[in-house]
Amino acid sequence: MDKAIVLKQGPLRAPSLSGRLQSGLLLLDNLNLGRHLGVMIAARAAILLLGINLARALQILPERIGALPFLPLANLSAIGLTLAYLALWRHGRRLPLQLVLQIAVDLALTTCLVAITGGIASPFVSFYVLVIIACSLTGGRSGGLAGAALSAILYAGIVGAENTGILAGAGSPLSLENLTFRVSLNALGFFGVALLGACLSRRLSAVQEELEEKIDSLTRLRRLNENIVSSIRSGLITTNLGGRITLFNNTAEELTGIPVNDVLAAPLPSVIGSRLWARVRDADLFRDARPLRDEYWVDLPGGQRRYLGFSVSPLMDQERELIGYIVSFQDLTEIKHLEEEVRLKDRMATIGSMAAGIAHEIRNPLTSMRGSVEILKSRSALSERDRRLLEILLKESDRLNKFIGELLQFAVPTKSAMQPVDLASLLQDSVLLLQNGSGFRSRYSVTLQLDSNSLQIEGNADRLKQVFWNLAQNALRAMPDGGHLGICAGPEEGAKVQVVFKDNGMGMTTVEQERLSRPLNPGFSTGTGLGLHIVYQIVEEHRGQIRFDSEKGKGTRVTLHFPAIAG
């Protein structure tokens, strides 16, 4: 058996003190037994030293030991035994054997002390009671009864030896009846203490087991709560009434990119901005049963921006008193981008139907006007001033006709024939064409980085070249004083191909980025405002996605995603 002493079977016999105590030790594990021994050693030393020295100071010891060096020897013996017990206890081995040895030595020491200091009249008879209590607490009822029996026998021996003259007593010999009464009375007290100690020991054991079960249950609940909080796929933050963070789960750490050790006790606005905290302070969360909600863009460490949705609820204690706030949040960035794409498609569909009718209505009279101007220009009698005015009219009509063509392409996009296309080759051709174009100057630099020599997608080469050309031209226009355009492409997770255009130009504000979804709203003075929408259409036609990330004064990053050809 683990942590127990197994007794071999043999002839029936009365259990010894060691056997009784060891059987009671089945209730104690090694840790509890060590704790009991430590308490016994400390209490024994304190009581023994205090009792001896106090009895000497009160002069209640017999006069016959005054000539003996009783006090120094008693103090040295108490201190020496205490040090020996502590050495064995610190060693930590054979603790049950040490307990039996310690009780046996204490019984012997108490017997000697009682015998020397007056026998039946000794002030140290009560030390037997302390030994019996120790036996009961450590050995249960068996240990307590064994300790009481031995104490009664030893005490009876001292009284008998004193009454027969073997030991020097403090008075005249007692009658047999008186002797029997005194011994029986003390023995009855010893056994009563043993039984009470056993009851107390059993009760303490039950309370300790119940406490350990509750502690174990509380530990499991605490671990379960920690696992639940850390496993929630939403960011979770709790704060005190002053807005200082008291809890920051794993998902919150992932979404914000901030280690938990850096935010504990930090103010909430330093992590998610001041907008939400300002609303929390102004809200009455008790009166409104619904949680406070908000969503907005948050700037994160490393220059990232995420669109987070927040929900705030009151944090209350058992008395339903407000002690803080619970903030849960999710990353809504992808949803926000999808909403923007849906809104853009709706706007394009609505405006496209209108644009088709307007373009046809304008193109017909425009064609007649241009024909008339060409006839007037062919006449030789025109003055130089009139001829120049007619040339301006022709040039403006051509520009207007080009705009109508783009408007028709935007309103009624044509379906392109799809075939396998290598984006790496298209990008190389586009960069070469850009560097040799009329708008390219020495103040510009363009670099192309390809993570793969072959990036195959299903598409139309001419339409894709139009996308790359428009994005590159917009990047150059965003850098009027010169700058660098970086283009990179490569495979990405999910069987996709990614193409990125990144410039260090003037960048865009949040409002300007929102205007990108508005047709006929050119970002440059020389544009019509339709080129970017045609780019959107071509990307959608290729089942791709386009995303803009920009900051005023820090450039723009345009990311394209296309499904790759499997294999």
Side-chain angles (χ1 to χ4, degrees), residues 276-288:
L276 182 67
W277 181 242
R279 291 194 59 191
V280 170
R281 289 184 301 177
D282 296 336
D284 187 352
L285 298 179
F286 282 106
R287 181 173 300 176
D288 191 352

Side-chain angles (χ1 to χ4, degrees), residues 104 107-108 111 128 148-160:
L107 282 172
T111 302
Y128 281 120
L150 286 176
S151 298
I153 293 171
L154 293 174
Y155 178 73
I158 293 174
V159 173

Side-chain angles (χ1 to χ4, degrees), residues 170-317:
S172 59
L174 300 174
S175 63
L176 181 60
E177 293 80 2
N178 194 0
L179 181 65
T180 304
F181 174 75
R182 292 204 175 190
V183 171
S184 300
L185 186 62
N186 281 282
L188 182 62
F190 291 162
F191 281 101
V193 170
L195 293 175
L196 290 176
C199 293
L200 177 61
S201 176
R202 189 179 301 109
R203 180 57 182 166
L204 288 176
S205 298
V207 171
Q208 184 175 1
E209 290 178 1
E210 184 179 356
L211 179 60
E212 289 177 352
E213 290 178 0
K214 291 186 179 298
I215 292 175
D216 185 57
S217 176
L218 180 61
T219 302
R220 289 198 302 269
L221 287 175
R222 183 176 298 170
R223 290 177 180 174
L224 177 62
N225 179 66
E226 292 175 354
N227 291 335
I228 292 174
V229 170
S230 61
S231 300
I232 292 175
R233 298 317 302 162
S234 298
L236 186 65
I237 303 175
T238 63
T239 71
N240 57 19
L241 292 175
R244 297 282 177 175
I245 296 175
T246 57
L247 183 143
F248 202 76
N249 73 341
N250 294 339
T251 306
E253 186 175 353
E254 294 173 4
L255 293 179
T256 60
I258 306 175
V260 61
N261 294 331
D262 294 346
V263 298
L264 290 180
L268 183 64
S270 66
V271 178
I272 60 174
S274 58
R275 170 173 165 175
L276 182 67
W277 181 242
R279 291 194 59 191
V280 170
R281 289 184 301 177
D282 296 336
D284 187 352
L285 298 179
F286 282 106
R287 181 173 300 176
D288 191 352
R290 297 172 300 175
L292 181 119
R293 300 184 184 277
D294 200 357
E295 55 185 51
Y296 52 87
W297 288 98
V298 176
D299 294 322
L300 302 177
Q304 294 183 343
R305 298 181 77 242
R306 284 185 176 174
Y307 194 79
L308 302 179
F310 300 94
S311 175
V312 183
S313 303
L315 177 62
M316 294 175 287
D317 59 10

